Amino acid sequence: MPSRAARTLLCAALLAGSALGVTAPALAATATLSGRVVDAVTGAPVTDACVQATDENWDGTASGCVDSDGRYSLDVPNADLAYRVQAYGGDYVAQYATGHYTWDHADLLTAPGTADFALERAGAMTGTLVDSDGHPVEGATVEAFRPGSDEPVYQGTSSVDGDLTATVPVGDLVVHVTDGTRSVWAPDATDREHATTYHATLDAGADLGRVALPPASGIAGTLTDDQGQLVSDLCATVPTSDQWIWACSDADGHYSAELSPGSYTVDFQSQNPAYPSIWSGGSWTETGAKPVTVAAAAVTAYDLVVPRGATMTGRVVDAAGNPVANRCPQPYLGRTQTYLPTSGGCTGADGTYTLTGVPPTRVTLVVGGAWGNDTWAYHAATQQRARVFRLSPGGTTALKDLRLIAGRVAAGRVTDAAGNPLEGVIVGTEYSPRAGGPEGNHDITDADGRYELTDLSGTSTTLVAWDLQGRWAPVWSGGAPTADGATAVHLPKRGAAQADFTMKPAGTLTGTVVDASGAPVADTFDVSVFSGKSTAVQYGAGGWYDGKGGTFSIAGMPQAPLVLRFDNWETGETFWYGGTDQASATPVTVEPGGTVHLTVTRPAH
């Protein structure tokens, strides 16, 4: 609030020039705020008052002084904005419209508009603020309230010597003093109910006397490592309702943080490359941290042993083995989403990196790679398939080259209908059981049923999951039992496409080939299976009819319409079950886990 002398000079300057002084951008659209300023007790005009309007963005103001009847009129610079309007002058307390005393409580007025003021006479409030040891407290926040009101009529701070000199409305007041976590209702009450009521008059100010703030509350302690050495530059950080508390340990390992009473989990964030960041209770995660309880007007002692950090070194290379600069490997806690902050880390021109201050625990390591794909050590596209490194306090782990993944990535999980993981299932871009093994880009699921495919080309692909033993029916992306119904998997430029598979138990086709008389055929045939009317072989696992009267058996069948073709590669003879070609062949469907036996009549030849 402007001093009385400043207010008088301002009014004199404004009156000397004109009845109004307006600061506004050129050509701005203006509008008027007007009203009257009177004495709150007598109702008489306050003829030496001035008024100022400040827009909501703090960019533009308009100011002027009242006429002999206490009236004012301000042309505000921007009619599209709202304004806080304040009146002040003479022996009166400055007041915001309408009837408020602080900026935060002032009403926002739009123009054109009217705001009248009933100013109260000014009284004085004095006092001295000290801490619990009697030392002056600089910058303590002081608020004065009318008894029964929660809106302050004064807000200010103490001087460097702890002194307070304030202008307040005449009348009864209660006063609240705060500094950090310390709080007192003058002169020595812990709550408003027991606060002393002071009275400010025109002739005698309200003297608070000596107001002593209670001791601060918080935590303090010493940090040492697992060898008893003092640990510096670990900073206790605590989020509070309005700020982050940040208190770093000094060369003696000591730290202290002022906190309001309550329960807190403390994150000791390391600025020391030899040590990891750690949570209270020695946890690497916030969820595992142990809370520290802070009591009122007391400092809770909390010491912590911080394990020495581990070091990880290695080299990042591209798919061709060339070093890659400016890549920053990042460790995570095991196979969790908890990122572990470290010191150093990005690769130089030779592709090498060194991470220090790594928590000595189980970690996985990831680095952004070619095509925007994350590459997990070693050459894994997902964390589930990443190598887990076990680090020791103060130890150094040298990793082999971390080769970045080129191309695009798909990853997922293969389970049965009950959600149980299936290990040993082949997932790839091609279904090739007749070749005696998988072909093309493929992976084999681990014990948790997870797979990942890297170096995929294009923007999409279809995938198939199958097993060599024929225990499970093959399934294509999108859950289709045949390739005809497969849904293409979109391959993003960054990260891995997610493609999960649910497999059903495979069916089995068995049969015997007979001639027109019903006698077993003595020739040997290769039996292949196709899906529906497809022109492409979907299931070539095949079975051999050995011509000795035994049955052929083909495992790994899906629950889909299937047709069978018999081929004698020595003679070139070919025929279909139940038809003359694929289109007219008799379709056969096998239930999951079931077996269908066929008697196949060989056409006359």
Side-chain angles (χ1 to χ4, degrees), residues 154-177:
Y154 169 80
Q155 285 180 329
T157 58
S158 57
S159 71
V160 66
D161 297 323
D163 292 333
L164 172 69
T165 301
T167 300
V168 295
V170 296
D172 291 341
L173 304 167
V174 290
V175 181
H176 187 211
V177 181

Side-chain angles (χ1 to χ4, degrees), residues 251-279:
D252 296 323
H254 182 74
Y255 76 95
S256 62
E258 187 173 333
L259 293 167
S260 300
S263 182
Y264 302 91
T265 54
V266 185
D267 183 8
F268 290 89
Q269 296 184 15
S270 178
Q271 309 298 306
N272 187 329
Y275 295 94
S277 297
I278 192 169
W279 288 85

